[in-house]
């Protein structure tokens, strides 16, 4: 539909949406009470709802937000009946996977992990040939072990096409997933993919505050406001390669006459 329509997320209007993310064919949202909602395509497990076809009329997709309740993982000796629900503060969608940060700074991931983009030690290469794509699906949220981040809570996560990047509270960047274009900050000759988080050594001495993952590249910003980019550069998306020869300066863009605005008033 080409016209914007309101999405009703949750049943309580006093808890508005505070965070959203879109993948290739799915969407996620978090409300002010830190509850997580999902809708869209579920074929890769990216909604975090197992056996979705059984609940929604034999189709692998959901056309309205569904609340995703996640309980903490406990050992067999612990009482499951008293398990509290995980609360989330930020969510990000990749092409067919999803990552979300809990209120304690732990990353949870789910969806298709065929290139290791979930960061939980799952990838297609770990299974027999022909079975990896199917068996690398993680249908429910799974925590990414904090040990990979030296026990430091995360403050942000960003999902690229089939890879993921995250920033810790100490300003360190970690990446995992596909690296065919160097989106993990290393040469593809040295590392083709990683199914657990790897510290981005190139920014080890930089305090990073923000990272954004694209389809095949990444951009990060440090505490001084400087931007860094790496990965695929086929369309100039890195911003630090030589510019093509300039034939003429780009034109100054102006809105059509009658749509110009001064102090909020059309002129």
């Amino acid at each position: 539909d080409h016209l914007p329509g309101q999405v009703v997320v949750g049943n309580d209007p006093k808890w508005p949406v505070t965070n959203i993310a879109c993948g290739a064919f799915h969407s996620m949202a978090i409300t002010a009470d830190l509850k997580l909602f999902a809708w869209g395509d579920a074929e890769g497990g990216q909604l975090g709802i197992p056996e979705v076809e059984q609940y929604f009329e034999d189709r692998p997709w959901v056309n309205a937000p569904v609340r995703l309740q996640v309980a903490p993982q406990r050992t067999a000796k612990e009482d499951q009946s008293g398990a509290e629900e995980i609360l989330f503060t930020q969510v990000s969608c990749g092409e067919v996977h999803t990552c979300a940060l809990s209120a304690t700074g732990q990353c949870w991931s789910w969806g298709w992990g065929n290139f290791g983009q979930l960061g939980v030690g799952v990838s297609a290469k770990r299974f027999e040939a022909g079975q990896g794509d199917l068996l690398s699906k993680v249908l429910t949220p799974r925590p990414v072990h904090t040990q990979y981040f030296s026990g430091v809570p995360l403050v942000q996560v960003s999902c690229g096409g089939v890879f993921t990047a995250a920033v810790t509270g100490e300003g360190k960047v970690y990446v995992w997933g596909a690296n065919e274009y160097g989106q993990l900050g290393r040469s593809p000759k040295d590392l083709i993919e990683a199914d657990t988080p790897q510290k981005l050594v190139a920014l080890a001495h930089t305090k990073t505050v923000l990272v954004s993952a694209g389809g095949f590249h990444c951009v990060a910003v440090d505490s001084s406001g400087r931007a860094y980019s790496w990965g695929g550069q086929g369309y100039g998306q890195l911003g630090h390669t030589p510019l093509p020869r300039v034939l003429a300066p780009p034109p100054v863009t102006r809105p059509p006459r009658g749509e110009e605005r001064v102090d909020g008033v059309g002129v």
Side-chain angles (χ1 to χ4, degrees), residues 90 92 155-159 163-168 172-175 183 200 203 208-214 217-222 228 230:
Q90 190 238 322
S92 182
V155 295
Q156 193 225 342
V157 64
S158 181
C159 294
F163 74 105
T164 307
V167 182
T168 71
K172 304 305 178 185
V173 177
Y174 286 81
V175 289
Q183 56 266 55
L200 187 62
L203 294 179
T208 301
V209 296
L210 186 67
V211 67
S212 182
H217 76 294
C218 251
V219 178
V221 176
D222 69 11
Y228 303 85
W230 62 95

Side-chain angles (χ1 to χ4, degrees), residues 179-192:
N179 188 51
E180 73 270 40
Y181 290 94
Q183 56 266 55
L184 301 190
R186 294 174 59 179
S187 169
K189 296 180 180 180
D190 301 329
L191 181 71
I192 194 62

